[in-house]
């Protein structure tokens, strides 16, 4: 097969031995970039001594020590039988169910030379850190979330998935967020061939995991003798047909720890219309969702919300790039970064100056604790994201949060010599 379509390769999954841990729930974790608070890491670590967070977010002020620590921990857990490798290479059907949400997809090792569309920029320092961790451990600890558009019917890969979920799963667990997770292995040659033929006609959109995808590419480029057959030429992903199982899309909020709300509001005077919003967070978010055009909510605490909308057209013309499609120019994230962060507030684009949080309550609480400002955002539709990605246009990083995200720790992939 050529790189004209997607190529999802079977691999021998590395999984927790159920009889060696307190429960699968206790050893799983959200993706590394969602576990952002130190207390969140500590909570996961105390849930079980073998929680996956010890591999994806090891402790040490020194990066090299941190990465070596993860590699040593992985080696020890494998030697002790805490983690065991499945006997046969397989693709894995993965199901998540919570309330009215049902998501099913395929976990496998996706070839890096296929048509995969990014829609966000990445932070080089984060890519380098993730690359150092994966290089030291020779493992992919957590799958990216990728979407593709199939036929919306149970044919090809979809038919294999629907047939597979009728059997007993390899594992089943419910995480603390209320989502039920189930996993099945697909190793039948006919099923694998049907999946391969279907995906050969598809292209994928990175829904969640731009930094990890860039990390996979970086690691492959750094291998002195890497070939298309090398395990480094592919990376662990969850591939979901969103014509059949639409993803949820949520916003990612910004926290500006060094910009007090009073200073933020003074800076935007004349550039945007500013209105103080009465009431609580839910009311502020409702007003934001109902506001046409560009809009943000600035928050300094749980009872201090201000709506920004109607930006000055002359300011937009002067600060927003004109060599991009109109849909990109109208994005809230574009206006936030081009106008507010770069021009009005002049906030450096550094992790120490801009925090990215997925949960509104956490963003508001962090802004209040640090004496800074939370910028609450609205979600962008998947269709808009895909349209821009197909034009080769990237959105400002951390513009969207697709979900539900796969739980980390249910199945991993090693890149040892001889492992596939």
């Amino acid at each position: 097969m050529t790189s004209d379509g997607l190529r999802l390769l079977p691999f021998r999954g590395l999984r927790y031995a159920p009889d060696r841990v307190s429960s699968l729930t206790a050893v799983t974790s959200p993706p590394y970039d969602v576990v952002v608070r130190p207390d969140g890491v500590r909570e996961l670590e105390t849930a079980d001594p073998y929680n996956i967070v010890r591999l994806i977010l090891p402790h040490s002020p020194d990066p090299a020590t941190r990465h070596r620590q993860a590699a040593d921990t992985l080696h020890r857990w494998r030697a002790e039988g805490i983690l065991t490798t499945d006997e046969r290479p397989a693709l894995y059907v993965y199901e998540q169910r919570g309330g009215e949400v049902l998501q099913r997809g395929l976990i496998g090792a996706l070839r890096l030379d296929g048509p995969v569309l990014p829609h966000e920029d990445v932070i080089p320092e984060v890519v380098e850190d993730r690359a150092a961790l994966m290089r030291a451990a020779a493992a992919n600890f957590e799958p990216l979330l990728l979407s593709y558009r199939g036929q919306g019917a149970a044919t090809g890969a979809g038919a294999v998935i629907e047939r597979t979920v009728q059997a007993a799963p390899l594992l089943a667990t419910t995480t603390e967020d209320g989502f039920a997770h189930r996993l099945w292995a697909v190793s039948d040659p006919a099923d694998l061939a049907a999946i391969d033929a279907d995906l050969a006609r598809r292209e994928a959109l990175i829904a969640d995991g731009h930094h990890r995808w860039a990390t996979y590419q970086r690691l492959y480029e750094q291998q002195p003798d890497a070939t298309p057959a090398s395990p480094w030429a592919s990376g662990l992903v969850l591939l979901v047909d969103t014509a059949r199982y639409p993803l949820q899309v949520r916003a990612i909020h910004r926290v500006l720890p060094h910009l007090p709300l009073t200073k933020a509001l003074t800076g935007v005077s004349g550039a945007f219309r500013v209105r103080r919003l009465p009431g609580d967070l839910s009311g502020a978010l409702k007003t934001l969702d109902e506001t046409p055009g560009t809009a943000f909510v600035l928050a300094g605490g749980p009872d201090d919300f201000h709506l920004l909308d109607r930006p000055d057209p002359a300011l937009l013309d002067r600060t927003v790039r004109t060599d991009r499609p109109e849909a990109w120019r109208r994005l809230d994230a574009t206006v936030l970064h081009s106008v507010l962060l770069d021009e009005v507030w002049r906030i450096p684009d550094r992790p120490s100056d801009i925090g990215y949080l997925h949960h509104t309550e956490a963003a508001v609480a962090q802004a209040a604790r640090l004496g800074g400002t939370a910028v609450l955002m609205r979600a962008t539709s998947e269709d808009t994201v895909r349209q821009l990605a197909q034009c080769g246009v990237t959105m400002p990083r951390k513009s969207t949060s697709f979900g539900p995200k796969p739980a980390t720790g249910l199945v991993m992939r090693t890149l040892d010599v001889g492992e596939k």
Side-chain angles (χ1 to χ4, degrees):
M1 200 197 92
T2 69
S3 60
D4 293 338
L6 302 174
R7 185 79 191 280
L8 193 65
L9 307 176
F11 68 102
R12 295 177 61 199
L14 183 69
R15 299 188 291 114
Y16 280 98
D19 59 340
R20 298 299 307 277
V21 297
S22 59
S23 71
L24 286 175
T25 300
V27 295
T28 58
S29 162
Y32 81 95
D33 57 341
V34 177
V35 188
V36 294
R37 296 171 291 111
D39 56 328
V41 175
R42 285 193 295 271
E43 181 179 341
L44 291 167
E45 287 179 333
T46 56
D48 188 283
Y50 300 112
N51 188 281
I52 191 68
V53 77
R54 297 180 185 274
L55 299 180
I56 62 173
L57 290 171
H59 286 300
S60 177
D62 174 59
T65 302
R66 191 164 63 238
H67 304 144
R68 187 72 256 158
Q69 180 180 327
D72 292 343
T73 300
L74 175 62
H75 177 77
R76 184 173 68 255
W77 288 0
R78 294 179 70 182
E80 294 174 356
I82 306 302
L83 295 171
T84 61
T85 304
D86 288 342
E87 291 184 3
R88 292 189 295 176
L91 297 178
Y92 294 85
V93 172
Y94 177 46
E95 177 189 273
Q96 295 162 276
R97 187 189 294 267
E100 297 181 353
V101 176
L102 173 63
Q103 180 171 287
R104 289 173 177 155
L106 291 164
I107 294 178
L110 187 67
R111 281 275 299 267
L112 303 182
D113 58 357
V116 175
L117 304 174
H119 69 269
E120 291 182 0
D121 294 329
V122 297
I123 303 171
E125 294 84 357
V126 175
V127 173
E128 189 51 48
D129 180 73
R130 287 290 106 183
L133 175 67
M134 289 189 204
R135 187 186 306 112
N140 299 155
F141 290 131
E142 45 191 338
L144 287 68
L145 176 60
L146 305 185
S147 74
Y148 72 99
R149 289 296 177 91
Q151 301 301 317
T155 59
V160 175
I161 291 173
E162 301 308 319
R163 188 166 57 248
T164 299
V165 298
Q166 303 305 312
L170 288 176
L171 62 85
T173 190
T174 300
T175 45
E176 289 189 355
D177 58 6
F179 270 85
H181 307 259
R182 297 197 294 171
L183 191 77
W184 296 260
V186 178
S187 57
D188 180 80
D191 286 341
L192 296 176
I195 292 170
D196 194 54
D198 188 359
L199 297 183
R201 299 175 291 143
R202 314 296 180 195
E203 67 178 10
L205 173 73
I206 301 177
D208 183 72
H210 283 81
H211 288 91
R212 280 166 283 166
W213 184 255
T215 295
Y216 293 162
Q217 295 175 314
R218 172 79 59 85
L219 289 170
Y220 177 67
E221 294 166 357
Q222 292 176 344
Q223 298 303 308
D225 55 352
T227 68
S230 164
W232 299 94
S234 56
L236 189 64
V237 307
L238 166 62
L239 198 56
V240 175
D241 177 3
T242 53
R244 190 166 180 82
Y245 296 106
L247 297 177
Q248 296 176 307
V249 189
R250 294 188 173 91
I252 300 178
H253 311 291
R254 276 66 169 160
V255 174
L256 312 175
H258 308 306
L259 181 68
L261 181 60
T262 53
K263 186 175 180 181
L265 293 171
T266 300
V268 298
S269 177
F272 286 75
R273 183 176 69 166
V274 180
R275 289 180 287 161
R276 184 179 179 90
L277 298 177
D280 58 9
L281 176 59
S282 62
L285 294 176
K286 184 174 185 294
T287 300
L288 177 62
D289 287 338
E290 295 173 349
T291 302
T294 301
F296 314 95
V297 165
L298 303 188
D303 56 358
D304 195 2
F305 303 101
H306 299 259
L307 180 72
L308 268 60
D309 68 345
R310 300 186 184 180
D312 176 23
L315 179 62
L316 294 179
D317 290 342
R318 180 165 56 84
T319 57
V320 179
R321 294 175 57 169
T322 58
D323 60 345
R324 298 291 179 92
E326 185 63 21
W328 182 89
R329 291 172 51 81
R330 293 196 307 265
L331 290 171
D332 286 350
T334 296
V335 176
L336 171 65
H337 283 263
S338 300
V339 180
L340 286 173
L341 295 177
D342 293 350
E343 178 71 16
V344 175
W345 294 327
R346 299 189 182 276
I347 303 292
D349 190 6
R350 298 187 300 240
S352 59
D353 291 283
I354 305 175
Y356 297 89
L357 278 77
H358 293 74
H359 301 292
T360 52
E361 294 86 351
V364 173
Q366 187 175 104
R369 187 174 66 254
L370 300 175
T373 298
V375 184
L376 306 183
M377 309 285 289
R378 298 178 294 197
T380 304
S381 72
E382 181 183 351
D383 286 342
T384 297
V385 173
R386 188 179 297 276
Q387 172 194 344
L388 291 173
Q390 288 173 334
C391 294
V393 177
T394 57
M395 300 166 64
R397 54 176 163 260
K398 300 294 184 181
S399 293
T400 58
S401 176
F402 285 87
K405 304 179 192 303
T408 298
L410 296 180
V411 62
M412 293 158 272
R413 173 177 179 250
T414 59
L415 291 91
D416 304 322
V417 174
E419 294 283 355
K420 297 288 185 183

